[in-house]
């Protein structure tokens, strides 16, 4: 595994041994048999890594279905859609990610995608972690990144994007394929769910999108130093899932491998809670938030 990865083109050294150097996440899958303990860990740490929660074969089937729906120009010659290996060429005329005409737009509305997310395992875990019956919000985001795109997610909290309803929200992030740090996995700023938003507000002044108040920073190393916390990463495999609370600061890494990063993130609320109305429709890449 390469020790230096990046986010938004800025390096993050995973072999760093200095104060606030990145560290690996610990697996919490064994806690799922004890929902109280799982909830307690989630409340204490703001995120929970659930290694091998889903059947690898099912996850890879979904990866295959998506890449099979893409223009074959995208895939390296001699490779199978299930591998999702980038050819280095973006199909000519491809609309922006997730807008009508892009395969991700149709895919999140497809029966294959809906069936995968209807898995009782996902709803059961969400219910266990929320402490009661859970419902999945319809806005389910499919992310697809390839090498060279430098379009990783900036440091942010989910609450900044979901602030018109209950904050009793649980996110599940599901890599659709193996996703080591160099392929662009999710990273969490340790213990940051306990920080007040005021404590990181000043980081926005140096951010690359000062007009947008939702992301905190594009510079993960600077964020770690400024807040005195380390980024937690994992060598995700197909079948792994992470769960997180809406106030934890997280981001993702750039895709630097030939294998493309495909993932889906979904949110649950407790049945009967008022959800942010913007999340009650299918996702589209241009839905504005
Ligand atoms: O996958 C990503 O790049 C970001 C996902 C995310 O922010 C989330 O799941 O809350």
């Amino acid at each position: 595994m390469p020790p230096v990865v990046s986010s938004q083109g800025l390096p993050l050294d995973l072999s760093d041994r200095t104060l606030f150097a990145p560290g690996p996440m610990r697996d919490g899958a064994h806690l799922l048999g004890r929902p109280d303990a799982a909830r307690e860990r989630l409340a204490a740490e703001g995120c929970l890594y659930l290694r091998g929660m889903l059947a690898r074969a099912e996850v890879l089937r979904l990866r295959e279905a998506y890449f099979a729906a893409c223009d074959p120009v995208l895939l390296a010659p001699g490779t199978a859609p299930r591998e999702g290996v980038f050819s280095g060429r973006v199909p000519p005329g491809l609309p922006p990610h997730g807008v009508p005409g892009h395969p991700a737009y149709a895919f999140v509305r497809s029966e294959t995608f809906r069936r995968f997310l209807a898995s009782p395992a996902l709803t059961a875990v969400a219910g266990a972690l929320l402490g009661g019956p859970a419902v999945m919000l319809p806005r389910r985001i499919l992310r697809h990144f390839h090498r060279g795109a430098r379009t990783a997610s900036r440091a942010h909290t989910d609450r900044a994007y979901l602030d018109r309803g209950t904050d009793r929200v649980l996110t599940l992030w599901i890599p659709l394929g193996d996703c080591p740090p160099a392929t662009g996995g999710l990273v969490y700023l340790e213990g940051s769910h306990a920080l007040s938003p005021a404590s990181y507000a000043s980081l926005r002044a140096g951010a690359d999108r000062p007009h947008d108040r939702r992301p905190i920073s594009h510079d993960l190393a600077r964020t770690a130093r400024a807040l005195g916390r380390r980024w937690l990463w994992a060598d995700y495999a197909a079948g792994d899932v992470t769960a997180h609370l809406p106030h934890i600061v997280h981001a993702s890494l750039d895709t630097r491998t030939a294998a493309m990063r495909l993932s889906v993130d979904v949110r649950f609320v407790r049945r009967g809670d008022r959800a942010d109305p913007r999340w009650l429709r299918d996702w589209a890449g241009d839905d504005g938030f």
Side-chain angles (χ1 to χ4, degrees):
M1 191 166 69
V4 181
V5 293
S6 66
S7 185
Q8 299 287 329
L10 299 175
L12 191 69
D13 185 354
L14 301 184
S15 66
D16 189 355
R17 292 285 168 266
T18 58
L19 203 57
F20 312 130
M25 256 194 282
R26 57 182 178 141
D27 183 17
H30 61 285
L31 298 175
L32 287 179
R34 292 185 288 132
D36 288 351
R39 259 196 312 282
E40 222 167 86
R41 166 91 74 93
L42 178 66
E45 302 191 357
C47 59
L48 194 58
Y49 176 31
L50 302 169
R51 191 178 277 161
M53 198 198 110
L54 298 173
R56 177 177 175 83
E58 269 173 46
V59 171
L60 292 178
R61 256 199 301 280
L62 195 66
R63 180 179 180 85
E64 177 173 29
Y66 174 74
F67 285 119
C70 292
D71 186 324
V73 162
L74 184 74
L75 302 176
T79 64
R82 173 175 295 230
E83 296 168 75
V85 178
F86 186 40
S87 62
R89 290 170 57 214
V90 175
L94 183 70
H97 182 70
V99 312
H102 185 284
Y105 181 89
F107 196 71
V108 298
R109 290 161 177 78
S110 70
E111 205 34 51
T112 307
F113 186 73
R114 289 181 206 270
R115 219 176 308 118
F116 176 84
L117 290 179
S119 153
L122 293 173
T123 306
V125 164
L129 295 176
L130 283 168
V135 288
M136 188 187 287
L137 303 186
R139 186 171 186 267
R140 302 158 328 171
I141 307 178
L142 186 78
R143 305 191 198 245
H144 165 196
F145 300 97
H146 57 72
R147 190 169 53 193
R150 284 201 190 173
T151 43
S153 302
R154 295 165 175 78
H156 69 281
T157 66
D158 283 4
R159 182 65 179 163
Y161 295 84
L162 262 146
D163 57 355
R164 299 188 191 163
T166 179
D167 74 347
R168 191 161 58 167
V169 175
L170 180 86
T171 298
L172 295 183
W173 182 80
I174 310 168
L176 301 177
D178 294 340
C179 190
T183 300
L186 210 64
V187 289
Y188 292 98
L189 193 64
E190 192 171 37
S192 56
H193 60 303
L195 293 171
S196 79
S199 62
Y200 44 76
S202 64
L203 277 169
R204 292 200 176 90
D208 64 341
R209 284 173 58 179
H211 56 284
D212 187 348
R213 305 301 298 161
R214 297 167 305 176
I216 297 166
S217 178
H218 64 299
D219 186 336
L220 303 194
R222 176 166 179 261
T223 302
R225 279 194 308 274
L227 297 176
R229 284 157 197 274
R230 49 185 199 142
W231 288 102
L232 300 177
W233 53 271
D235 186 358
Y236 301 105
D240 294 356
V241 173
T242 64
H244 64 254
L245 297 178
H247 296 286
I248 191 158
V249 178
H250 58 289
S252 64
L253 301 172
D254 292 334
T255 301
R256 295 158 66 107
T257 56
M260 292 182 272
R261 194 255 275 196
L262 189 68
S263 63
V264 56
D265 39 282
V266 297
R267 277 132 200 110
F268 291 85
V269 296
R270 280 271 293 265
R271 184 175 301 145
D273 279 358
R274 184 178 176 278
D276 187 323
R278 297 168 299 176
W279 289 72
L280 300 178
R281 295 187 283 275
D282 281 333
W283 165 80
D286 58 354
D287 62 13
F289 62 104

